[in-house]
Amino acid sequence: MKLTIGQVAAYVGVTIRAVRHYHQRGLLPEPDRDFSGYRRYDASAVVDLIKIKTLADSGVPLGRIKELLKAEPAEFADAVDQIDQAIDVRISELAEQKRRIAGLVAGDTLFLPPKIVDLLDGLRAIGVSERTITRERDGWIVLAAGYPDEAGDAAHAKLKALDEPDFRQIYLAYDEAADWDPADPRLDQIADLIMAFAARYDPGPDARPPPPADDPAVMALMAGATEDQPASWQKLDELCRQRSPGP
């Protein structure tokens, strides 16, 4: 007795659509129609369909199933071993993807080294606005992409400087000045504070230099970020350069 496509699909535990898809992929020969116009499947077709379903349920790609159905035992074992290795690679990729997705919950830790994240948390702790922290974070992302170790150490030194009351005052004043007019005379006072602090602050013998200033890619990216800064901050940077003693 032969079965219709619906009967064979129900017996094996697949959908009619799946059986037709296997026909289209060349995995399962399509039987001839009988006098009533229905395709009838014999026992060998049922066996082949069971093999196809078993392999597919095991994770074997459809593109490899036809090869495995015709393979000799040694060839079959070798092909299965290759598929198993490919699955291991995919598992590793998915595990890494899962780790990154989990990192999204942690926010900045996905994009930045721990030392820079500590700095951003330190800025939040002293009351710096999220607007300023976001701008600074984006700059650190640019630096850390090319120089993760140097950027992390520079951020750590900056976090250490936050122990100084004068440095905290400068940061908070800089943050507040974002909305000021570039002609506001208070910017001169902040520039004086910055230069006075820079003149006396000693980062210590273990301090490392910031990321290379001669890297054209970094300089171009940072220049682009600077263009987006508030006009008052750009003016403040100009005032500090004017007060700098130079080389």
Side-chain angles (χ1 to χ4, degrees):
M1 178 181 177
K2 294 186 177 182
L3 306 177
T4 65
I5 187 172
Q7 291 172 325
V8 74
Y11 185 82
V12 176
V14 297
T15 64
I16 294 176
R17 183 178 180 180
V19 176
R20 289 173 174 158
H21 184 60
Y22 297 152
H23 287 326
Q24 293 172 357
R25 296 293 299 265
L27 302 179
L28 183 67
E30 199 167 358
D32 295 330
R33 298 181 185 275
D34 63 12
F35 66 91
S36 61
Y38 289 99
R39 296 190 185 280
R40 299 288 178 171
Y41 295 79
D42 58 18
S44 65
V46 174
V47 171
D48 287 343
L49 187 56
I50 290 173
K51 290 180 179 179
I52 293 168
K53 181 180 183 297
T54 301
L55 292 170
D57 289 347
S58 299
V60 178
L62 291 184
R64 300 292 304 273
I65 289 179
K66 187 174 183 179
E67 167 195 347
L68 293 181
L69 290 174
K70 299 178 179 180
E72 296 295 330
E75 295 174 330
F76 186 91
D78 184 61
V80 169
D81 184 60
Q82 293 177 21
I83 293 169
D84 184 62
Q85 293 178 30
I87 291 175
D88 285 341
V89 171
R90 181 59 179 153
I91 289 173
S92 298
E93 292 173 347
L94 289 172
E96 174 63 16
Q97 184 178 0
K98 183 176 181 180
R99 184 192 69 78
R100 288 180 174 274
I101 289 175
L104 291 173
V105 179
D108 295 334
T109 58
L110 180 66
F111 308 103
L112 292 167
K115 291 180 180 179
I116 299 178
V117 174
D118 289 343
L119 170 62
L120 299 180
D121 289 341
L123 296 179
R124 291 186 180 95
I126 68 171
V128 175
S129 70
E130 280 300 321
R131 173 185 58 185
T132 294
I133 290 174
T134 297
R135 289 178 180 274
E136 177 146 344
R137 179 202 63 198
D138 290 349
W140 285 114
I141 288 175
V142 171
L143 291 176
Y147 302 95
D149 293 336
E150 295 90 335
D153 289 344
H156 181 70
K158 204 170 187 180
L159 177 62
K160 181 180 178 182
L162 285 179
D163 292 335
E164 298 280 344
D166 289 347
F167 192 62
R168 294 198 297 271
Q169 179 187 1
I170 290 171
Y171 238 111
L172 292 172
Y174 197 87
D175 181 30
E176 183 183 359
D179 297 321
W180 294 357
D181 187 285
D184 194 311
R186 291 176 294 177
L187 293 175
D188 286 284
Q189 299 173 15
I190 298 176
D192 289 338
L193 287 173
I194 292 174
M195 300 310 297
F197 179 81
R200 70 170 182 79
Y201 179 68
D202 182 7
D206 297 329
R208 295 176 62 178
D214 58 352
D215 187 322
V218 171
M219 293 301 101
L221 290 169
M222 295 306 294
T226 302
E227 292 174 358
D228 294 333
Q229 287 185 350
S232 58
W233 287 4
Q234 296 183 45
K235 178 63 176 179
L236 189 52
D237 290 344
E238 179 185 339
L239 292 172
C240 289
R241 285 194 298 268
Q242 292 173 357
R243 287 164 169 74
S244 177

